[in-house]
Amino acid sequence: MMLIPCPWCGPRDESEFHYGGQAGVAYPDDPGALTDAEWARYLFFRDNPKGPFRERWSHTAGCRRWFSLVRDTVTNEIVA
Amino acid sequence: MSGAFRTARGGLVDRDRPLRFRFDGVEYEGLQGDTLASALLANGVHHVASSIRLGRPRGVFAAGVEEPNALVQIEEPFPEPMLPATTVELYDGLVARGLRGRGRLADRPDPARYDATHAHCDVLVVGAGPAGLAAAAVAASSGARVIVVDDQPRPGGSLLGAAEHLDWVASVAGGLRAAPEVRLLTRTTAFGYYDDNHVVAVERRTNHLGAQAPAHRSRERVWRIRARHVVLATGAHERSLAFADNDRPGVMLAGAAQTYLRRYGVRPGRRAVVLTTNDSAYAVARDLHAAGVEIAAVADLRDSPGAGRAPHGAELLPGWAVAGVTGADRISAVTLRRLAGGAFTGPELRLDADLLLVSGGWNPVGALYGQAGGRLAYDDGLGAFRPDGGCRQALEVAGSVAGTYTLKGCLAEGAAAGARAAEATGFRPGEPDLPETADPEVTPGVAVWTLPGDPATSLVDLQRDVTVADIARATGTGMRSAEHVKRYTTAGTAHDQGRTSGTLTSGIVAEMLGVNVGDLGTTTFRPPYAPVSFAALAGRDRGMRFDPVRVTALHAWHVAAGALFENVGQWKRPWYYPRDGEDMAAAVLRECRAAREGVAMMDASTLGKIDVRGADAAVFLDRLYTNMISTLKPGAIRYGVMCRPDGMVLDDGTVIRLAEDRFLVTTTTGNAAVILDWMEEWLQTEWPQLRVYCTSVTEQWATVALVGPESREVLASLAPGLDVSRDGFGFMTWRDTTVAGLDARVCRISFSGELAYEINVSWWDALALWEALAERGITPYGTQTMHVLRAEKGYPIIGQDTDGTVTPHDLGLGWAVSRTKADFIGKRSFTRTDTARTDRKQLVGLLPDGGELLPEGAHLVAAAEPPLTALGHVTSSYHSAALGRTFALALIEGGRDLVGRTVWATLDDGLAPVTITGAVLYDPEGARRDG
């Protein structure tokens, strides 16, 4: 059970949060201008590193705010 | 008399409190303070169980949680399977029997209560032996909040087994119990060590009381502890080594024998042979000798035992080992021979003995350290794996878990670890008060894994019946890792988790492969460290408390009306309202007829309702819905579909425009929270510049659907101020008015194709509205009738007729997808090659030729003869009162081009022909909508 630092509420149990996958995957400015391959990359492709990973979390059982953090996927250490 | 093998005095048992118990049908007597194992040994019972695979007789092997052999089934007072007899505290009236392998769960409900506690502390100390107590005392002296957990009924750890320094134990424990910020939990096993110092333990609160357990007290309690710093003082377990017939009753770990003698006042036998690789067994031999157990010989695998001193009268045999054991149900003799260069040599020495005490060295109990993410490294000097000190979590290890085996060392390490833990959490520890202890000279042990002898009877994992031969078979097939050998042989997978056998397995595998045991390593440690009952893990979250139950304001009315209920998410929704003698089919046909031919009503309060307001609310909803929302006029309503970016339908519902900057959107019942989260996610992460606020109002508005050709007259009579005329109150508009004297918002929406209204009132007023309608004799209907009515009209239910791979076009909802909006979520995906295919599965109607009610989920195939080409599946299937027959909805490849064609539904007993139709089977012109 990780202790996740919510920027608004402070450290809380992992079970209060909802995981949101890789951070920084922005909705494209003009999806219509993208090729099928580019759009597929936005829809379906995500990094899966062994080590530090910037990812999104939502404090669903608390303040309900989304935020990003960097977690080491090997140790679960939250490094930033 | 509590057994022929009980000593005259000594031990931590209460000789004034005899306890009666029954084992394998025989009455025995034990003492308060006994375990079932010690009480059996006091009565001379060694053969307790049989092994699971080989059926070999098995005795008591150890004295604690590490016991692999003596598994019992508790029968009375309440059945409990597979407990080591060494961990069952004896109580009056206990009835148990030995097991061969698996036990038996109770066949009646468990009347006991189980609960859970969340706890937080600065320092958590796991283990209340000498190191743990020293750590706890020092940490507590700093004022830190300290929790100490220990699996035994009283603190002391190894000092209980040695029955020494008990005054110091009592004094430290008394101090801990008196300290306001300290909690000392006995009978509590820490079984899981998770991320960020989250340690989970189970406290056995009444198990030791048997039938006398008070009903109000929970039997077990799960402790979920978040500690800023942890001290692991989990001790060490003695291990055996593999030799022929090393599993016979009477073969026992040497340290266990000392515990039985000193802690329980039990002589485990009359005449013993000792086999050891290290110094620790010598003290055991001397103790037993002093208590009247004859020590026939001490065979020490070291050529120079050094400081080892055999008791008077016992032969010390350096370099000798066990060549054979006589006796199956209980040993009667031990054969010793000299070992040279890995082989026996010279004459045999056969000694009569009913006890063979073995010490193959000690394994630090590193399971929790491993669970915490730490590694165990092999220590050549120790001949065992111990924590490598590199764990990233905030923890200390102290005492024999760290590989320190002298009492003096354990105490000093414990005190130092407690001080470090206190300092790490910002406290200033005091000076430790430790007992005076001797500092004996230690001669290093020798790591020996196997002795020459029959590998097929040389047991490695006693509980799983894994032999040296089994491991040779695994390495012979080419396995090179401890993990693979574990899975192939099952060594270490029994409920003792290989506590006495894990290191031995690694050692034997390494020897066979000719590699260093340290390079081979251990298997992975995973929770739980010791078995935990599901009842304890469930705690109070069972039965009604398993999941919240949500009911509408009208629930009591529905119950009184005899409704049957359907679970929709957490909601209880009326399913149908059977009248006397009606079955479900009859009730639903009646309810459907009322809605199509007269007037009927349904509690639709569970519909998700979200209030969306703000200057950019219309822009926001234009981006979320596939169709245009911003052109909606205040006072009007529009049906809308939401997709995910991949173009697949996420939800549908209605959008009501309350004002320029305010909308009320509805969601499907099960999706209300999902859609609110969905809105929040886009607003927070992609469009934070939009001025929009979303609020769930599901439980503020109660909704009653009033349906049927007579609904207009009913509404007119209840809402005299409302113009209910066809032109005055048009389809897909809403009005604020008064209905039955209650403030209400009435929407002209239909989910049945009939003239219909949805009347929304405050949750508090719902019953008054419903009763006013019920007084007019209006038929209530449930979700089943709702489903039939909507399916007759081809209206899909998101989540029933869709599965996350269905686009609006697949559902025939292309009309609800805007061509003019520049973008909305999902738009780009509609032109993806795959999404634009014309042979995608499409929603169609089905009419079974033979009138069968098709099972939902039934596959549809193109022809009655093989090859059976799969075309799709049935998503909804009902009896229709209006059609006078059964019908279904289905997703079929290119289905809209197949209307009129026959395909085949796969049923349990064969294939049934069905005819494909359009999805709308009832009133396809929509003539009934306006009444």
Side-chain angles (χ1 to χ4, degrees), chain A:
Chain A
M1 176 82 75
M2 288 191 287
L3 202 57
I4 296 176
C6 170
W8 306 97
C9 307
R12 292 290 188 277
D13 278 354
E14 178 188 343
S15 54
E16 295 183 13
F17 295 84
H18 174 77
Y19 185 62
Q22 182 177 355
V25 183
Y27 187 76
D29 286 339
D30 183 5
L34 301 184
T35 65
D36 267 12
E38 288 165 338
W39 179 245
R41 188 152 283 281
Y42 163 73
L43 286 181
F44 305 124
F45 286 66
R46 295 295 182 270
D47 295 340
N48 183 23
K50 181 179 180 180
F53 186 43
R54 186 158 191 83
E55 61 194 14
R56 305 184 313 152
W57 290 85
S58 172
H59 193 190
T60 42
C63 63
R64 302 182 58 76
R65 304 305 293 174
W66 283 88
F67 59 94
S68 298
L69 51 75
V70 179
R71 179 180 60 100
D72 188 312
T73 59
V74 177
T75 64
N76 275 346
E77 198 166 2
I78 291 163
V79 292

Side-chain angles (χ1 to χ4, degrees), chain B residues 317-378:
Chain B
L317 299 167
W320 284 58
V322 173
V325 174
T326 308
D329 290 343
R330 178 76 192 271
I331 67 169
S332 57
V334 177
T335 303
L336 301 174
R337 271 185 97 182
R338 188 165 168 71
L339 198 59
F344 286 120
T345 177
E348 290 184 346
L349 176 60
R350 185 185 150 107
L351 299 168
D352 288 340
D354 59 358
L355 200 56
L356 171 55
L357 303 180
V358 183
S359 179
W362 293 78
N363 296 327
V365 179
L368 291 179
Y369 183 83
Q371 289 179 23
R375 270 191 62 254
L376 299 184
Y378 190 74

Side-chain angles (χ1 to χ4, degrees), chain B residues 164-201:
Chain B
E164 59 185 15
H165 301 296
L166 295 177
D167 292 347
W168 178 76
V169 170
S171 138
V172 171
L176 293 173
R177 288 206 170 93
E181 295 288 353
V182 177
R183 194 191 291 273
L184 174 57
L185 294 170
T186 54
R187 297 190 174 94
T188 304
T189 304
F191 64 81
Y193 197 134
Y194 301 89
D195 287 311
D196 296 314
N197 275 356
H198 186 73
V199 176
V200 184

Side-chain angles (χ1 to χ4, degrees), chain B residues 66 192 257 266 336 353 369 375 401 423 429 454 464 491 502 592 708 726 791:
Chain B
E66 71 274 27
V266 173
L336 301 174
Y369 183 83
R375 270 191 62 254
V401 63
E423 279 162 7
D454 183 1
R464 279 287 191 230
C592 286
R726 181 176 172 143

Side-chain angles (χ1 to χ4, degrees), chain B residues 383-466:
Chain B
F385 290 92
R386 68 177 175 86
D388 69 351
C391 181
R392 77 162 187 92
Q393 303 225 35
L395 62 77
E396 313 287 333
V397 291
S400 46
V401 63
T404 302
Y405 293 156
T406 65
L407 178 55
K408 195 180 188 71
C410 287
L411 290 165
E413 267 189 21
R420 284 196 302 277
E423 279 162 7
T425 52
F427 293 87
R428 292 169 59 90
E431 282 301 308
D433 174 23
L434 304 176
E436 283 299 319
T437 50
D439 196 4
E441 186 190 337
V442 178
T443 306
V446 58
V448 176
W449 314 113
T450 57
L451 298 178
D454 183 1
T457 65
S458 298
L459 273 294
V460 181
D461 183 329
L462 295 161
Q463 195 171 135
R464 279 287 191 230
D465 269 346
V466 176

